[in-house]
Amino acid sequence: MTAKSLAAELGWPSAARLTRLEKSITGEISTAELEALTTILRFPPRFFTTEPPMRIHASDLLFRAPQSTTKTEQEYLADFASMVGEFLDELHSRWQLPAVKIPMVDPSAPVAEAAARVREALGVAWDEPIDYLTHNIEHAGVPIVMRRMLAAATLRDGDGGAASEKHLGYSTRVGEFKARPLIVVRQSTSWERTRWTLAHELGHLSLHWSGDVTEDKEEQASRFASELLAPLAQIRKEVSPTPSLMSLVPVKQKWGISIGALLRHLHTGGMLDDDRFRSLQKQLYQRVNPDTGRTWGRTEPGWDDRAVERPRLLSKWVELGFAVPSAQLLSTYDLIFPGDILGDFLVGQRPAPSTSASPAAPAVPAVETTTGSRGGDRGAGDGTADVIDFRRFQQRSRRA
C-alpha cells in the first residue's frame, strides 16, 4: 500500500502524519487508530509497540540487483530479510540455533583457497562432491529461506508487483549485531540453478561483509560457487583437454553442477581456450534435448536426476521451539507476525520426515520440478532421507 492510500484508510487528511510517524523513533496514536492500523495491515498490535532489534536496508543486501529491479523491489527484499531476522531471534530465544561456522575469508585470497576453507567449515573434504549442499549450509548455522516469487501477503487485487524480478537469490546478515548469515533464494524447478545460487550466496557471505556489490564482487562470488561445487584441481583429472558436451554429462552428474556453469569454470580456470569455450557454449544452446524439445541450454541432460534441494532448519526449529508443525498453528502464540507472513518464511521448507525414513545419505530422486516506525511448478519431494537429528546436534554443541 502507498502511504497516501493507507492515510486515506485511516481517515487522515494527508500522508504527512504517516511520514512523520515512520521516520520518528517513537510516536503516539490513539487506541482507535491503532485498532484501525492493525486491521488494515493485519499485523497484531504488539508489532507496532515492540522495538525492532535490527533493520536491514537495501544497501545491506549482498547481491547486485539487475537494472530492471526497482527501488521498491529492493526495499521489499530488505524488509523481508528484516522480518526473517526477527523471526530467527524469536526461534533462538526458544531453542538455540546452530553456531555459525562459515568463515570470513580475505577477498584478496585465491578463490580456490576461499572455497577450500568453506568446504572445511561445511564438513566436506576438498576432493569429494557435496551431495546435499542445503543440509551442509544449515548445519553450519546459516538459515535458508526459499521464498515465493512474490510473498503471498503482498498481493493485492491481482497486483503482479515484483513478478518481473530477475535475481535468483540474495544474502545478508541479521540479528542485533548482524552476526547471523541468512540466505534467501527464490523457488525454482531447477536443481542445478538452486545449488549454484546457494553456493554463490555462500561466496558473498564468506568474501564480502557489506552490501554495495560491484560487478567484480559478483564475478568473484560466481567463480567461488563453481569452485565450491567442483574444485578445479579434481575436475582436471576427469576432463579431457578437448572435451565434448557429452563427455561433461557424467562430470555434471557427479559434482552437481550444470554444464553451463562447468564450461565457464573450465574457461576461467584455463582448461578451455576462448575458441573451444565459445564453440561448446554455442552447441549448448543449439543442441535439442529430445526428452524436452528444448535446447540443452534450457534443459540440460540430467535436469531430472535430482530433486530440487529444500531447506529444513526453520521448520525443524519451529517444531522444537513451539511444538507445532506448521505456520498456521503458530497463530496460537503471541507473535508479532500474521499467519500469512509466517507462511512466507516457511513455504519452501521440507516437512518432518516420516517414521520409516532412513537417516542415510540423501537419495537422488527425480526433480519436481509497511508501515509504522518499523521499517505451475512441480513439487520438490519430501526430502525424507536428508534430515539431520538436530537434538543430537544440539547435545553435541552444548558438550562442546
Side-chain angles (χ1 to χ4, degrees):
M1 299 182 71
T2 64
K4 183 178 180 180
S5 62
L6 179 57
E9 292 274 0
L10 291 169
W12 294 350
S14 73
R17 184 182 175 192
L18 182 61
T19 300
R20 289 195 300 269
L21 189 65
E22 289 179 328
K23 292 184 176 181
S24 62
I25 297 176
T26 60
E28 291 186 3
I29 58 176
S30 69
T31 302
E33 289 170 330
L34 177 60
E35 290 177 352
L37 195 63
T38 58
T39 299
I40 296 168
L41 298 182
R42 307 169 346 279
F43 279 75
R46 197 164 74 88
F47 178 84
F48 299 97
T49 59
T50 303
E51 182 181 3
M54 101 292 288
R55 177 69 190 274
I56 303 298
H57 300 277
S59 59
D60 297 320
L61 303 182
L62 291 168
F63 86 120
R64 184 169 177 78
Q67 290 185 346
S68 59
T69 304
T70 66
K71 182 179 179 180
T72 299
E73 289 175 38
Q74 294 184 54
E75 290 176 349
Y76 164 76
L77 297 176
D79 286 339
F80 185 81
S82 293
M83 290 191 292
V84 172
E86 291 190 56
F87 184 55
L88 290 174
D89 281 350
E90 179 73 31
L91 290 177
H92 189 72
S93 70
R94 295 171 179 269
W95 193 286
Q96 189 171 359
L97 296 173
V100 177
K101 300 177 183 177
I102 301 300
M104 285 297 300
V105 182
D106 185 346
S108 65
V111 168
E113 178 183 322
R117 285 192 58 188
V118 173
R119 272 180 158 259
E120 182 180 6
L122 295 177
V124 182
W126 67 274
D127 59 349
E128 67 180 34
I130 303 176
D131 291 329
Y132 208 86
L133 180 60
T134 302
H135 164 83
N136 294 92
I137 293 174
E138 293 192 310
H139 190 261
V142 182
I144 298 170
V145 173
M146 190 168 285
R147 69 180 185 86
R148 298 180 177 96
M149 172 76 80
L150 181 65
T154 68
L155 293 174
R156 294 289 181 275
D157 301 323
D159 177 21
S164 62
E165 58 185 272
K166 298 294 192 298
H167 68 280
L168 300 174
Y170 63 98
S171 52
T172 189
R173 292 175 175 84
V174 297
E176 183 178 2
F177 303 105
K178 296 188 177 179
R180 172 73 61 180
L182 169 69
I183 294 176
V184 180
V185 295
R186 218 173 63 199
Q187 288 180 316
S188 171
T189 60
S190 168
W191 67 262
E192 303 107 319
R193 187 175 296 115
T194 298
R195 277 172 60 90
W196 196 87
T197 300
L198 290 171
H200 181 92
E201 297 309 324
L202 266 186
H204 279 313
L205 290 171
S206 300
L207 295 165
H208 312 135
W209 175 254
S210 61
D212 188 26
V213 176
T214 62
E215 281 192 37
D216 288 342
K217 289 182 177 179
E218 195 72 7
E219 175 60 25
Q220 186 181 33
S222 295
R223 288 187 284 112
F224 173 96
S226 296
E227 179 66 22
L228 182 77
L229 293 174
L232 200 62
Q234 290 300 116
I235 298 300
R236 289 183 187 278
K237 304 174 184 178
E238 304 176 21
V239 177
S240 70
T242 55
S244 64
L245 290 183
M246 283 302 300
S247 71
L248 295 178
V249 172
V251 181
K252 165 189 174 166
Q253 293 170 330
K254 175 181 177 180
W255 294 95
I257 182 173
S258 71
I259 295 176
L262 190 57
L263 288 176
R264 290 189 293 273
H265 190 33
L266 296 175
H267 180 237
T268 57
M271 292 183 61
L272 287 180
D273 60 32
D274 292 345
D275 290 340
R276 187 64 179 169
F277 172 63
R278 285 193 293 267
S279 173
L280 290 174
Q281 268 202 325
K282 185 177 180 179
Q283 293 177 42
L284 188 69
Y285 285 92
Q286 288 181 341
R287 183 174 297 186
V288 175
N289 186 336
D291 294 332
T292 65
R294 297 180 175 183
T295 66
W296 280 27
R298 295 289 303 277
T299 52
E300 298 180 0
W303 66 272
D304 57 351
D305 282 352
R306 297 177 182 232
V308 178
E309 294 188 14
R310 294 171 62 192
R312 170 75 175 128
L313 180 62
L314 290 191
S315 59
K316 181 63 179 179
W317 245 251
V318 166
E319 295 163 19
L320 293 174
F322 295 94
V324 295
S326 68
Q328 288 74 23
L329 295 177
L330 285 176
S331 60
T332 59
Y333 289 82
D334 184 26
L335 300 178
I336 65 174
F337 303 114
D340 53 349
I341 292 290
L342 294 171
D344 288 333
F345 297 161
L346 302 173
V347 65
Q349 300 282 310
R350 284 182 286 131
S354 64
T355 55
S356 61
S358 167
V364 184
V367 70
E368 291 89 11
T369 51
T370 7
T371 286
S373 58
R374 307 167 63 98
D377 295 347
R378 295 161 63 188
D382 59 9
T384 56
D386 12 303
V387 179
I388 182 173
D389 185 339
F390 279 103
R391 293 181 187 274
R392 289 207 309 266
F393 169 79
Q394 191 72 13
Q395 291 167 357
R396 291 199 304 272
S397 297
R398 287 170 178 163
R399 287 198 298 268

